[in-house]
Coordinates of all heavy atoms in Angstrom, one line a residue:
M1 N 220.7 0.4 112.7 CA 220.5 -0.8 112.0 C 219.8 -0.7 110.7 O 218.8 0.1 110.7 CB 219.7 -1.8 113.1 CG 220.3 -2.3 114.2 SD 221.5 -3.6 113.8 CE 221.7 -4.4 115.4
D2 N 220.2 -1.4 109.8 CA 219.5 -1.5 108.6 C 218.6 -2.7 108.5 O 218.9 -3.7 109.2 CB 220.4 -1.6 107.3 CG 221.0 -0.2 106.9 OD1 220.5 0.8 107.4 OD2 222.0 -0.3 106.2
T3 N 217.4 -2.7 108.0 CA 216.5 -3.8 107.9 C 216.4 -4.3 106.5 O 216.2 -3.5 105.6 CB 215.1 -3.5 108.5 OG1 215.3 -3.0 109.8 CG2 214.2 -4.7 108.4
H4 N 216.7 -5.6 106.3 CA 216.6 -6.2 105.0 C 215.4 -7.2 104.8 O 215.3 -8.1 105.8 CB 217.9 -6.8 104.7 CG 219.1 -5.9 104.9 ND1 219.7 -5.1 103.8 CD2 219.9 -5.8 105.9 CE1 220.6 -4.5 104.3 NE2 220.8 -4.8 105.6
L5 N 214.7 -7.2 103.8 CA 213.7 -8.2 103.4 C 214.5 -9.2 102.6 O 215.1 -8.9 101.6 CB 212.5 -7.4 102.7 CG 211.3 -8.3 102.5 CD1 210.7 -8.8 103.6 CD2 210.3 -7.4 101.6
T6 N 214.3 -10.5 103.0 CA 215.0 -11.5 102.3 C 213.9 -12.6 101.8 O 212.9 -12.7 102.4 CB 216.1 -12.2 103.1 OG1 215.4 -12.9 104.1 CG2 217.1 -11.3 103.6
V7 N 214.3 -13.3 100.6 CA 213.4 -14.3 100.2 C 214.1 -15.6 100.1 O 215.3 -15.6 99.5 CB 212.7 -13.9 98.9 CG1 213.8 -13.6 97.8 CG2 211.8 -15.0 98.4
D8 N 213.5 -16.7 100.6 CA 214.2 -18.0 100.5 C 213.6 -18.7 99.3 O 212.4 -19.0 99.2 CB 213.7 -18.8 101.7 CG 214.2 -20.3 101.6 OD1 214.6 -20.7 100.5 OD2 214.1 -20.9 102.7
R9 N 214.3 -18.7 98.2 CA 213.8 -19.1 96.9 C 213.4 -20.5 96.9 O 212.6 -21.1 96.1 CB 214.7 -18.9 95.8 CG 215.1 -17.3 95.7 CD 215.5 -16.8 94.3 NE 215.6 -15.4 94.2 CZ 214.6 -14.7 94.0 NH1 213.4 -15.3 93.6 NH2 214.6 -13.4 94.0
G10 N 214.0 -21.3 97.7 CA 213.7 -22.7 97.9 C 212.3 -22.9 98.5 O 211.6 -23.9 98.2
A11 N 211.9 -22.0 99.3 CA 210.6 -22.2 100.0 C 209.5 -21.5 99.3 O 208.3 -21.8 99.3 CB 210.7 -21.6 101.4
C12 N 209.8 -20.5 98.3 CA 208.9 -19.7 97.7 C 208.2 -20.5 96.7 O 208.8 -21.3 95.9 CB 209.5 -18.5 96.9 SG 208.4 -17.6 95.8
A13 N 206.8 -20.4 96.7 CA 205.9 -21.1 95.8 C 205.5 -20.3 94.5 O 204.7 -20.7 93.6 CB 204.7 -21.7 96.4
G14 N 205.9 -18.9 94.6 CA 205.6 -18.0 93.5 C 204.2 -17.7 93.2 O 203.8 -17.3 92.0
H15 N 203.4 -17.7 94.1 CA 202.0 -17.3 93.9 C 201.8 -15.8 94.0 O 200.6 -15.3 93.8 CB 201.0 -18.1 94.7 CG 201.5 -18.3 96.1 ND1 201.8 -17.3 96.9 CD2 201.8 -19.5 96.8 CE1 202.1 -17.8 98.1 NE2 202.1 -19.1 98.1
G16 N 202.7 -15.0 94.4 CA 202.6 -13.6 94.2 C 201.9 -12.7 95.2 O 201.6 -11.6 95.1
L17 N 201.5 -13.4 96.4 CA 200.8 -12.5 97.5 C 201.7 -11.4 97.9 O 201.2 -10.4 98.2 CB 200.4 -13.4 98.6 CG 199.4 -14.5 98.3 CD1 199.2 -15.4 99.5 CD2 198.1 -13.8 97.9
C18 N 203.0 -11.6 98.0 CA 203.9 -10.6 98.6 C 203.9 -9.3 97.6 O 203.6 -8.2 98.2 CB 205.2 -11.1 98.7 SG 206.0 -11.9 97.2
Y19 N 204.1 -9.4 96.4 CA 204.3 -8.3 95.5 C 202.9 -7.7 95.2 O 202.7 -6.6 94.8 CB 205.1 -8.5 94.2 CG 204.9 -9.8 93.4 CD1 203.8 -10.0 92.6 CD2 205.8 -10.9 93.6 CE1 203.7 -11.2 91.8 CE2 205.6 -12.1 92.9 CZ 204.6 -12.1 92.0 OH 204.4 -13.3 91.2
G20 N 201.8 -8.5 95.5 CA 200.5 -7.9 95.5 C 200.3 -7.0 96.7 O 199.5 -6.0 96.7
A21 N 200.8 -7.4 97.8 CA 200.5 -6.8 99.0 C 201.5 -5.5 99.2 O 201.0 -4.5 99.8 CB 200.8 -7.6 100.3
A22 N 202.7 -5.5 98.8 CA 203.6 -4.5 98.9 C 204.5 -4.3 97.6 O 205.6 -4.6 97.7 CB 204.5 -4.7 100.2
P23 N 204.0 -3.8 96.6 CA 204.7 -3.7 95.4 C 205.9 -2.7 95.5 O 206.8 -2.8 94.7 CB 203.6 -3.2 94.3 CG 202.6 -2.7 95.1 CD 202.6 -3.4 96.4
E24 N 205.8 -1.8 96.5 CA 206.9 -0.9 96.7 C 208.1 -1.5 97.3 O 209.2 -1.0 97.3 CB 206.5 0.3 97.5 CG 206.3 0.1 99.0 CD 205.0 -0.6 99.4 OE1 204.4 -1.2 98.5 OE2 204.6 -0.6 100.6
L25 N 208.0 -2.7 97.9 CA 209.0 -3.5 98.4 C 209.4 -4.8 97.7 O 210.5 -5.2 97.7 CB 208.5 -4.0 99.8 CG 208.2 -2.9 100.9 CD1 207.8 -3.5 102.2 CD2 209.4 -2.0 101.2
V26 N 208.4 -5.4 97.0 CA 208.7 -6.6 96.3 C 208.1 -6.5 94.9 O 206.9 -6.2 94.7 CB 208.1 -7.8 97.0 CG1 208.5 -9.2 96.4 CG2 208.4 -7.9 98.5
D27 N 208.9 -6.8 93.9 CA 208.4 -6.8 92.4 C 208.4 -8.3 92.1 O 208.9 -9.2 92.8 CB 209.3 -5.9 91.6 CG 208.6 -5.6 90.3 OD1 207.6 -6.1 90.0 OD2 209.2 -4.8 89.5
C28 N 208.2 -8.6 90.8 CA 208.4 -9.9 90.3 C 209.1 -9.9 88.9 O 209.1 -9.0 88.2 CB 207.0 -10.7 90.2 SG 206.0 -9.9 88.9
D29 N 209.8 -11.1 88.7 CA 210.5 -11.2 87.5 C 209.6 -11.7 86.5 O 208.4 -12.1 86.7 CB 211.8 -11.9 87.6 CG 211.7 -13.3 88.0 OD1 210.6 -14.0 87.9 OD2 212.7 -14.0 88.5
E30 N 210.1 -12.1 85.2 CA 209.3 -12.7 84.2 C 208.7 -14.0 84.5 O 207.7 -14.4 84.0 CB 210.1 -12.7 82.9 CG 210.5 -11.3 82.3 CD 211.9 -11.3 81.8 OE1 212.6 -12.3 81.7 OE2 212.3 -10.2 81.6
Q31 N 209.4 -14.7 85.5 CA 208.8 -16.1 85.9 C 207.8 -16.0 87.0 O 207.3 -17.0 87.5 CB 210.0 -16.9 86.3 CG 210.8 -17.5 85.1 CD 211.8 -16.6 84.5 OE1 212.5 -15.9 85.3 NE2 211.8 -16.5 83.2
G32 N 207.6 -14.8 87.4 CA 206.8 -14.6 88.6 C 207.4 -14.8 90.0 O 206.7 -14.8 90.9
D33 N 208.7 -14.8 89.9 CA 209.4 -15.0 91.2 C 209.7 -13.6 91.8 O 209.9 -12.5 91.1 CB 210.7 -15.5 90.9 CG 210.7 -17.1 90.5 OD1 209.7 -17.7 91.0 OD2 211.5 -17.5 89.7
P34 N 209.6 -13.5 93.1 CA 209.7 -12.2 93.8 C 211.1 -11.6 93.6 O 212.1 -12.4 93.7 CB 209.3 -12.5 95.3 CG 209.6 -13.9 95.4 CD 209.4 -14.5 94.0
I35 N 211.3 -10.3 93.6 CA 212.5 -9.6 93.6 C 212.4 -8.5 94.6 O 211.4 -7.6 94.6 CB 212.8 -8.8 92.2 CG1 212.8 -9.9 91.1 CG2 214.1 -8.1 92.4 CD1 212.8 -9.2 89.8
I36 N 213.3 -8.5 95.6 CA 213.2 -7.4 96.6 C 213.7 -6.1 95.9 O 214.8 -6.0 95.4 CB 214.1 -7.8 97.9 CG1 213.7 -9.2 98.5 CG2 214.0 -6.7 98.9 CD1 212.3 -9.3 98.8
V37 N 212.9 -5.1 96.0 CA 213.2 -3.9 95.3 C 213.6 -2.7 96.3 O 214.0 -1.5 95.9 CB 212.2 -3.4 94.3 CG1 212.1 -4.3 93.2 CG2 210.9 -3.1 95.1
A38 N 213.4 -2.8 97.6 CA 213.7 -1.9 98.5 C 214.7 -2.5 99.6 O 214.3 -3.1 100.5 CB 212.6 -1.4 99.2
D39 N 216.0 -2.2 99.4 CA 217.0 -2.9 100.3 C 218.1 -1.8 100.6 O 218.9 -1.4 99.6 CB 217.6 -4.1 99.6 CG 218.5 -4.9 100.6 OD1 218.1 -5.2 101.7 OD2 219.7 -5.1 100.1
P40 N 218.3 -1.4 101.8 CA 217.5 -1.8 103.0 C 216.1 -1.2 102.9 O 215.8 -0.3 102.1 CB 218.3 -1.2 104.2 CG 219.0 0.0 103.6 CD 219.3 -0.5 102.2
V41 N 215.2 -1.8 103.7 CA 213.9 -1.3 103.9 C 213.8 0.1 104.5 O 214.3 0.2 105.6 CB 212.9 -2.2 104.7 CG1 211.5 -1.8 104.8 CG2 212.9 -3.7 104.2
P42 N 213.1 1.0 103.7 CA 213.0 2.4 104.4 C 212.4 2.4 105.7 O 211.4 1.6 105.9 CB 212.3 3.2 103.3 CG 212.4 2.4 102.1 CD 212.6 1.0 102.5
E43 N 212.9 3.2 106.6 CA 212.3 3.2 108.0 C 210.7 3.3 107.9 O 210.1 2.6 108.7 CB 212.8 4.3 108.8 CG 212.6 4.4 110.2 CD 213.3 3.3 111.0 OE1 214.3 3.0 110.6 OE2 212.7 2.8 112.0
E44 N 210.2 4.1 107.1 CA 208.7 4.3 107.0 C 208.0 3.1 106.5 O 206.8 3.1 106.4 CB 208.4 5.6 106.3 CG 208.7 5.7 104.8 CD 210.1 6.0 104.5 OE1 211.0 6.0 105.4 OE2 210.4 6.2 103.3
R45 N 208.7 2.2 106.0 CA 208.0 1.0 105.3 C 208.3 -0.3 106.1 O 208.0 -1.3 105.7 CB 208.6 0.8 103.9 CG 208.4 1.9 103.0 CD 207.0 2.4 102.9 NE 206.1 1.5 102.3 CZ 204.8 1.5 102.6 NH1 204.2 2.5 103.3 NH2 204.0 0.6 102.0
I46 N 208.8 -0.2 107.3 CA 209.2 -1.3 108.1 C 207.8 -2.0 108.5 O 207.7 -3.3 108.4 CB 209.8 -1.0 109.5 CG1 211.2 -0.3 109.1 CG2 210.0 -2.2 110.4 CD1 212.2 -1.3 108.6
G47 N 206.7 -1.3 108.8 CA 205.4 -1.9 109.1 C 205.0 -2.7 107.9 O 204.5 -3.8 108.1
A48 N 205.1 -2.2 106.7 CA 204.6 -2.9 105.5 C 205.5 -4.2 105.3 O 205.0 -5.2 104.9 CB 204.7 -2.0 104.2
A49 N 206.8 -4.1 105.6 CA 207.6 -5.2 105.4 C 207.2 -6.3 106.4 O 207.2 -7.5 106.0 CB 209.2 -4.8 105.6
R50 N 206.9 -5.9 107.6 CA 206.4 -6.9 108.6 C 205.2 -7.6 108.1 O 205.0 -8.8 108.1 CB 206.2 -6.3 110.0 CG 207.5 -5.9 110.6 CD 207.3 -5.8 112.1 NE 208.6 -5.4 112.8 CZ 208.9 -4.1 113.2 NH1 208.0 -3.1 113.0 NH2 210.1 -3.8 113.7
H51 N 204.4 -6.8 107.5 CA 203.1 -7.3 106.9 C 203.3 -8.3 105.8 O 202.6 -9.3 105.8 CB 202.2 -6.1 106.4 CG 200.9 -6.5 105.8 ND1 200.0 -7.2 106.4 CD2 200.6 -6.4 104.4 CE1 198.9 -7.4 105.4 NE2 199.4 -7.1 104.3
V52 N 204.2 -7.9 105.0 CA 204.4 -8.9 103.8 C 205.1 -10.1 104.3 O 204.8 -11.2 103.6 CB 205.3 -8.1 102.7 CG1 206.7 -8.1 103.0 CG2 204.9 -8.7 101.4
V53 N 205.9 -10.1 105.2 CA 206.4 -11.3 105.8 C 205.3 -12.2 106.3 O 205.2 -13.5 106.1 CB 207.4 -11.0 107.0 CG1 207.7 -12.4 107.8 CG2 208.7 -10.5 106.5
D54 N 204.3 -11.6 107.0 CA 203.2 -12.3 107.6 C 202.3 -12.8 106.4 O 201.6 -13.9 106.6 CB 202.4 -11.4 108.5 CG 203.0 -11.2 109.8 OD1 204.1 -12.0 110.2 OD2 202.7 -10.2 110.5
V55 N 202.2 -12.2 105.3 CA 201.3 -12.6 104.2 C 201.8 -13.8 103.5 O 200.9 -14.6 103.0 CB 201.2 -11.4 103.2 CG1 200.9 -11.8 101.8 CG2 200.3 -10.3 103.7
C56 N 203.1 -14.1 103.5 CA 203.6 -15.3 102.8 C 203.2 -16.5 103.4 O 203.7 -16.8 104.5 CB 205.1 -15.1 102.7 SG 205.8 -16.6 101.8
P57 N 202.3 -17.4 102.8 CA 201.9 -18.5 103.4 C 203.0 -19.7 103.5 O 203.0 -20.6 104.3 CB 200.7 -19.0 102.6 CG 201.0 -18.4 101.2 CD 201.7 -17.2 101.5
E58 N 204.1 -19.5 102.7 CA 205.2 -20.5 102.7 C 206.3 -20.1 103.6 O 207.3 -20.7 103.8 CB 205.9 -20.5 101.3 CG 204.7 -20.6 100.1 CD 203.9 -22.0 100.3 OE1 204.5 -23.0 100.9 OE2 202.8 -22.0 99.9
R59 N 206.2 -18.9 104.3 CA 207.3 -18.5 105.3 C 208.6 -18.4 104.5 O 209.7 -18.6 105.1 CB 207.4 -19.4 106.5 CG 206.1 -19.6 107.3 CD 206.3 -19.0 108.6 NE 205.0 -19.1 109.4 CZ 204.4 -18.0 109.8 NH1 204.6 -16.9 109.5 NH2 203.2 -18.2 110.5
A60 N 208.5 -17.8 103.3 CA 209.7 -17.7 102.5 C 210.3 -16.3 102.6 O 211.4 -16.1 102.2 CB 209.3 -17.9 101.0
L61 N 209.6 -15.4 103.3 CA 210.1 -14.1 103.4 C 210.5 -13.8 105.0 O 209.9 -14.4 105.9 CB 209.1 -13.0 103.1 CG 208.7 -13.0 101.7 CD1 207.4 -12.1 101.5 CD2 209.8 -12.5 100.8
A62 N 211.6 -13.1 105.1 CA 212.1 -12.8 106.5 C 212.7 -11.4 106.6 O 213.0 -10.9 105.5 CB 213.2 -13.8 106.9
L63 N 212.8 -10.8 107.7 CA 213.5 -9.6 108.0 C 214.7 -9.9 108.7 O 214.8 -10.6 109.6 CB 212.6 -8.6 108.8 CG 211.4 -8.0 108.1 CD1 210.6 -7.2 109.1 CD2 211.8 -7.3 106.8
Q64 N 215.8 -9.3 108.2 CA 217.1 -9.4 108.9 C 217.7 -8.0 109.1 O 217.4 -7.1 108.3 CB 218.1 -10.3 108.1 CG 217.6 -11.6 107.9 CD 218.5 -12.5 107.0 OE1 219.5 -12.0 106.4 NE2 218.4 -13.8 107.0
E65 N 218.3 -7.9 110.2 CA 218.9 -6.6 110.6 C 220.5 -6.6 110.4 O 221.1 -7.7 110.7 CB 218.6 -6.1 112.0 CG 217.1 -5.8 112.1 CD 216.8 -5.2 113.4 OE1 217.4 -5.3 114.4 OE2 215.7 -4.4 113.3
S66 N 221.1 -5.6 110.0 CA 222.5 -5.5 110.0 C 223.0 -4.1 110.3 O 222.1 -3.1 110.2 CB 223.0 -5.9 108.5 OG 222.6 -4.8 107.6
Q67 N 224.2 -4.0 110.5 CA 224.8 -2.7 110.8 C 225.0 -2.0 109.3 O 225.2 -2.6 108.4 CB 226.2 -2.7 111.4 CG 226.2 -3.3 112.8 CD 225.6 -2.5 113.7 OE1 225.5 -1.2 113.5 NE2 225.1 -3.1 114.8
P68 N 224.6 -0.7 109.3 CA 224.7 0.1 108.0 C 226.1 -0.1 107.5 O 227.1 0.0 108.3 CB 224.4 1.6 108.4 CG 223.8 1.4 109.7 CD 224.2 0.2 110.4
A69 N 226.3 -0.2 106.1 CA 227.6 -0.3 105.5 C 228.4 1.0 105.7 O 227.8 2.1 105.8 CB 227.4 -0.7 104.1
Ligands
SF4_101 S1 204.1 -14.7 98.9 FE1 205.9 -16.0 99.6 S2 205.5 -17.8 98.3 FE2 204.3 -16.4 97.4 S3 205.6 -15.4 95.8 FE3 205.8 -14.1 97.7 S4 207.7 -15.0 98.7 FE4 206.9 -16.5 97.2

């Protein structure tokens, strides 16, 4: 299974806690909106990905699993 970190842009308030907490997984664009930079999430970063989902106060981040391509 591959694990993907996703962002719901409609729910995101853009305050940047996610890319502050895990910049190796989430970066930001010029508007301060998050960009997922590790897709799929590397196995050794799954714990950090779960943490960053918990950090988002807007519940805009989620983890989804898929079969490897
Ligand atoms: S922590 Fe959540 S609401 Fe804030 S920028 Fe990241 S995804 Fe958006």
Side-chain angles (χ1 to χ4, degrees):
M1 287 283 197
D2 283 343
T3 302
H4 306 273
L5 187 59
T6 64
V7 57
D8 177 348
R9 298 202 173 277
C12 175
H15 40 58
L17 293 175
C18 54
Y19 43 82
E24 75 280 18
L25 298 176
V26 189
D27 199 355
C28 66
D29 66 15
E30 290 136 15
Q31 283 77 45
D33 294 326
I35 303 169
I36 306 302
V37 294
D39 185 52
V41 177
E43 188 70 33
E44 67 276 13
R45 303 307 295 158
I46 297 291
R50 289 199 181 105
H51 172 67
V52 85
V53 167
D54 290 341
V55 156
C56 177
E58 311 299 332
R59 303 248 177 244
L61 295 170
L63 288 178
Q64 296 182 350
E65 292 192 333
S66 71
Q67 295 294 336

